[in-house]
Amino acid sequence: MPFLCQGAAVTLQSAAGGAALAIVIALVVGLMASSPLRTVRGVARVYMEFFRGTSVLVQLFWLFYAMPILTGYQMDKVFAGVLALGLNLGAYGSEVVRGALQAVPPSQREAAIALNFSPLQRMRYVILPQAFVEMIPPMNNLLIELLKATSLLSVITVADLAYEGRLLVNSGSDQLIVFALMLVIYFVFSYAITLVMRFVERRAARMVGRGKPRRRRATAAVEAAR
């Protein structure tokens, strides 16, 4: 367990760094993909299609092994892993952001225009808060996929959970026990992400008026039962 816990800590570190980078990229590129300017949309589309259409493992190899040949600079292996995960999952997340922005009803945009909101105010106060609620469920799936993709970092000798597990098996530890513990640890991390994202989704829904206080829900349930 001490070795697996050390690997789990590295996995969490990599997942947190990759998630932070992916969320920032997803928001920026998703907004660019919704821009009225064709050039801006084109740049966003090129990024999205390239990183979604190529393997994250190949991107990881390219950043860690090919980049030093071209630039003469060797990245830290954890940083290279976080960068590859963030760029790849950010491309998927940007499509989620773009879709959520497009899902906001046109009447909401028209109401904001009628209130004489500027384009920035419309995006900040009307469109983005409502789109944020729609982004959370698919983002939850992407964050779990990112967590599981951290196991690929072991191929560049990052001492994550998958790497430590293989070392234990190669050193003679019981394979069944090691792999069972790894499954449990990955499941616990994934379920923790789900719980956090569900909490965020409920809070975000209440902020835009889609949720109901608990007392009102209970009262409505009693009335319906009567």
Side-chain angles (χ1 to χ4, degrees), residues 15-31 47 82-83 85-98 128 132 135-136 138-140 142-144 146 193 196-197 200:
L21 180 60
I23 290 172
V24 172
I25 291 176
L27 289 173
V28 173
V29 178
L31 290 171
Y47 164 78
V82 168
L83 185 59
L85 294 175
L87 289 172
N88 186 268
L89 272 298
Y92 288 93
S94 59
E95 186 65 23
V96 171
V97 173
R98 187 196 66 81
L128 201 54
F132 181 69
M135 296 176 198
I136 296 175
M139 281 293 186
N140 180 26
L142 289 180
L143 290 178
I144 293 175
L146 187 148
I193 292 173
V196 171
M197 295 300 284
V200 172

Side-chain angles (χ1 to χ4, degrees), residues 2-199:
F3 295 100
L4 291 179
C5 287
Q6 291 176 8
V10 176
T11 293
L12 278 180
Q13 177 187 357
S14 304
L21 180 60
I23 290 172
V24 172
I25 291 176
L27 289 173
V28 173
V29 178
L31 290 171
M32 290 174 62
S34 303
S35 172
L37 301 176
R38 181 177 298 179
T39 304
V40 176
R41 293 199 309 271
V43 172
R45 181 57 58 184
V46 168
Y47 164 78
M48 292 161 64
E49 296 302 332
F50 177 79
F51 281 97
R52 288 192 305 171
T54 55
S55 169
V56 63
L57 184 60
V58 176
Q59 295 165 16
L60 181 61
F61 283 152
W62 200 89
L63 287 172
F64 189 69
Y65 293 115
M67 280 288 288
I69 300 175
L70 297 176
T71 64
Y73 174 73
Q74 178 67 60
M75 290 186 184
D76 177 75
K77 52 189 176 182
V78 175
F79 178 76
V82 168
L83 185 59
L85 294 175
L87 289 172
N88 186 268
L89 272 298
Y92 288 93
S94 59
E95 186 65 23
V96 171
V97 173
R98 187 196 66 81
L101 292 173
Q102 296 296 323
V104 176
S107 58
Q108 297 292 320
R109 304 172 188 267
E110 295 168 359
I113 294 174
L115 292 172
N116 201 27
F117 281 10
S118 67
L120 181 60
Q121 289 175 325
R122 292 199 297 268
M123 181 61 67
R124 179 179 177 184
Y125 296 112
V126 179
I127 300 173
L128 201 54
Q130 296 183 65
F132 181 69
V133 181
E134 305 296 333
M135 296 176 198
I136 296 175
M139 281 293 186
N140 180 26
N141 293 334
L142 289 180
L143 290 178
I144 293 175
E145 288 298 323
L146 187 148
L147 171 69
K148 294 186 291 186
T150 57
S151 60
L152 297 175
L153 305 188
S154 61
V155 300
I156 58 172
T157 68
V158 174
D160 67 331
L161 182 59
Y163 183 84
E164 294 290 351
R166 282 210 302 269
L167 284 183
L168 287 172
V169 171
N170 293 336
S171 64
S173 298
D174 189 282
Q175 296 186 31
L176 180 61
I177 294 176
V178 172
F179 290 140
L181 289 173
M182 290 171 62
L183 282 175
V184 170
I185 293 172
Y186 276 117
F187 172 76
V188 169
F189 288 166
S190 299
Y191 191 63
I193 292 173
T194 299
L195 292 178
V196 171
M197 295 300 284
R198 285 179 181 173
F199 172 77

